[in-house]
């Protein structure tokens, strides 16, 4: 049994996709990031970076005490290795899977997140920042589109690399991208969206999606006003002058 500390964000969806694809029993432990649940001391014990997702595996492979894992890429790799699924067993296939998993963690996710922040959430609209990240996301979509030439998935067979990237491409309109400019990426997106397990994963998040609080100054402060003091004190807000 897996306890999944979750909120319906792209990083949260990555893990529900894997769990649904493998039929792994799991319990969602919601962490409402708009209300500051990520600063709860109990959550910080398993996720010291105060970010979702995180898991607690109550049946680790070594038979020992429950094991916690944070960071979505690390969770995908941990689960894939434990179950021997969705990661290629051969040297070259494994290397390709890890390349594209790490590519998402280092590039597609952070750049998309910054793009979304400056386009949708920043109180002050900064044209330079909006253009900077919108263009970088466009470049990354181009990288994926080129990679998908002559192949259905990023690293051979469907894998944790696809599971990691897919939720970050779903909101392409919100990212200011025209998916029709990337025909291979568009076909890949539809291919994964048609998978029943992916559909179940997104359904699992709908009850929490509906309970999200609207963006206002307080939610903006919680989400974007974190400093070192957020970890030390469990509070959040602007750094003192």
């Amino acid at each position: 049994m897996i306890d999944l500390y979750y909120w319906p964000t792209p990083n949260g969806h990555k893990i529900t996709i894997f769990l649904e694809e493998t039929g792994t029993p799991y319990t969602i432990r919601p962490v409402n990031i708009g209300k500051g649940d990520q600063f709860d001391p109990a959550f910080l014990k398993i996720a010291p970076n105060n970010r979702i997702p995180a898991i607690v595996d109550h049946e680790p492979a070594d038979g020992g005490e429950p094991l916690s894992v944070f960071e979505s890429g690390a969770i995908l790799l941990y689960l894939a290795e434990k179950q021997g699924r969705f990661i290629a067993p051969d040297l070259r296939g494994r290397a390709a899977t890890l390349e594209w998993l790490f590519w998402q963690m280092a590039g597609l996710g952070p750049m998309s997140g910054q793009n979304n922040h400056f386009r949708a959430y920043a109180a002050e609209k900064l044209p330079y920042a909006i253009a900077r990240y919108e263009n970088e996301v466009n470049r990354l979509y181009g990288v994926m589109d080129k990679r998908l030439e002559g192949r259905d998935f990023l690293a051979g067979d469907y894998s944790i690399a696809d599971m990691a990237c897919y939720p970050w491409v779903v909101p392409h309109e919100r990212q200011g991208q025209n998916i029709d400019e990337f025909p291979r990426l568009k076909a890949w997106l539809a291919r994964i969206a048609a998978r029943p397990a992916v559909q179940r994963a997104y359904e699992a998040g709908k009850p929490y999606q509906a309970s999200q609080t609207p963006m206002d100054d307080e939610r903006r402060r919680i989400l974007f006003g974190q400093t070192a003091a957020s970890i030390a004190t469990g509070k959040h807000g602007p750094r003192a002058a």
Side-chain angles (χ1 to χ4, degrees), residues 27-72:
T27 300
I28 287 179
R29 308 293 184 189
V31 179
N32 189 331
I33 60 176
K35 292 185 176 179
D37 291 354
Q38 66 271 37
F39 301 103
D40 187 299
F43 178 66
L44 289 174
K45 286 182 179 179
I46 63 171
N49 195 38
N50 67 287
R51 295 288 192 274
I52 63 95
I55 65 167
V56 175
D57 183 358
H58 291 276
E59 298 176 340
D62 64 3
E65 294 296 316
L67 174 64
S68 64
V69 184
F70 74 101
E71 286 296 317
S72 59

Side-chain angles (χ1 to χ4, degrees), residues 35-197:
K35 292 185 176 179
D37 291 354
Q38 66 271 37
F39 301 103
D40 187 299
F43 178 66
L44 289 174
K45 286 182 179 179
I46 63 171
N49 195 38
N50 67 287
R51 295 288 192 274
I52 63 95
I55 65 167
V56 175
D57 183 358
H58 291 276
E59 298 176 340
D62 64 3
E65 294 296 316
L67 174 64
S68 64
V69 184
F70 74 101
E71 286 296 317
S72 59
I75 296 168
L76 286 174
L77 183 56
Y78 170 81
L79 292 172
E81 290 186 332
K82 178 184 178 182
Q83 299 196 26
R85 299 186 64 184
F86 298 112
I87 185 168
D90 64 288
L91 175 66
R92 296 176 190 277
R94 176 183 170 81
T97 304
L98 294 182
E99 282 180 330
W100 289 97
L101 173 64
F102 286 20
W103 177 86
Q104 183 280 312
M105 294 295 295
L108 181 63
M111 295 300 103
S112 298
Q114 292 293 343
N115 187 28
N116 192 46
H117 173 81
F118 284 107
R119 285 175 57 85
Y121 294 141
E124 181 182 357
K125 301 305 179 186
L126 302 173
Y128 175 84
I130 293 171
R132 161 74 178 97
Y133 290 110
E134 188 175 300
N135 288 343
E136 179 61 6
V137 170
N138 185 267
R139 185 189 74 83
L140 293 168
Y141 279 25
V143 171
M144 293 183 74
D145 194 69
K146 185 173 180 62
R147 172 64 180 178
L148 289 164
E149 184 174 2
R151 52 172 58 89
D152 286 340
F153 300 106
L154 291 169
D157 294 334
Y158 178 60
S159 72
I160 55 174
D162 302 288
M163 296 178 197
C165 292
Y166 172 79
W168 286 101
V169 183
V170 169
H172 49 84
E173 291 183 2
R174 189 179 177 91
Q175 292 288 336
Q177 306 301 320
N178 179 4
I179 198 67
D180 291 330
E181 295 178 1
F182 308 98
R184 292 178 288 267
L185 182 60
K186 182 178 180 180
W188 170 87
L189 198 66
R191 197 173 297 125
I192 296 176
R195 297 179 69 90

Side-chain angles (χ1 to χ4, degrees), residues 6-7 9-16 52-53 72 104-105 109 164 167-168:
Y6 166 92
W7 202 241
T9 69
N11 286 335
H13 292 316
K14 294 178 191 177
I15 311 306
T16 51
I52 63 95
S72 59
Q104 183 280 312
M105 294 295 295
W168 286 101

